[in-house]
């Protein structure tokens, strides 16, 4: 099993969720996050004063999938979330050693369905 974390632009969330659902991904965790990379933030003018926005709003999607689903999920996220502009985001993949569904005590891939 693998955990996929994708950090994307917020306005792409619904499209990514729908596309992953079509692949059979029926659960995910979504967190509003802020950060910067090459995008570096920007300055804004508010009531005549200029101030720096160092951290930009992003969305982090977390899913755990079987090893066989990893490449399809990554390809789908990239295809749907990509705008071609700086700040499109990143995808990270981690090994998952164990998963347990608390209600039924199902484990590993049985706990993912």
């Amino acid at each position: 099993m693998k955990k996929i974390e994708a950090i994307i632009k917020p306005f792409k969330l619904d499209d990514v969720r729908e596309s992953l659902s079509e692949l059979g991904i029926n659960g995910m965790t979504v967190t509003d996050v802020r950060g910067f990379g090459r995008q570096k933030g920007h300055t804004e003018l508010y009531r005549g004063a200029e101030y720096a926005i160092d951290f930009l709003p992003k969305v982090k999607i977390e899913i755990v999938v079987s090893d066989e689903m990893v490449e399809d999920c990554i390809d789908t996220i990239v295809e749907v979330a990509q705008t071609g502009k700086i700040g499109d985001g990143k995808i990270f993949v981690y090994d998952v050693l164990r998963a347990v569904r608390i209600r039924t005590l199902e484990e590993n891939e049985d706990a993912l369905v």
Side-chain angles (χ1 to χ4, degrees):
M1 294 178 301
K2 303 286 187 208
K3 178 180 182 181
I4 299 173
E5 286 185 4
I7 300 172
I8 62 171
K9 293 182 176 183
F11 70 90
K12 288 292 191 173
L13 175 60
D14 287 336
D15 294 338
V16 170
R17 182 191 53 78
E18 288 174 18
S19 295
L20 288 173
S21 292
E22 291 172 9
L23 281 182
I25 304 303
N26 53 15
M28 65 179 62
T29 300
V30 176
T31 311
D32 290 320
V33 295
R34 296 183 308 152
F36 72 92
R38 288 186 180 166
Q39 207 171 1
K40 303 267 196 266
H42 60 279
T43 58
E44 286 189 4
L45 199 60
Y46 179 71
R47 294 190 176 180
E50 188 175 283
Y51 64 99
I53 307 287
D54 291 331
F55 295 99
L56 300 169
K58 302 288 181 180
V59 172
K60 179 167 69 169
I61 299 169
E62 298 173 88
I63 58 176
V64 178
V65 299
S66 65
D67 291 343
E68 297 79 33
M69 292 288 299
V70 172
E71 290 306 317
D72 288 340
C73 289
I74 291 172
D75 292 345
T76 296
I77 294 167
V78 167
E79 181 181 319
V80 175
Q82 188 177 54
T83 66
K85 296 188 169 89
I86 195 166
D88 275 349
K90 295 258 189 319
I91 298 173
F92 304 97
V93 180
Y94 307 93
D95 287 322
V96 174
L97 301 178
R98 186 176 179 198
V100 178
R101 184 186 313 270
I102 295 171
R103 180 177 56 87
T104 62
L105 300 179
E106 292 169 289
E107 294 201 20
N108 301 325
E109 292 190 10
D110 291 337
L112 301 182
V113 209

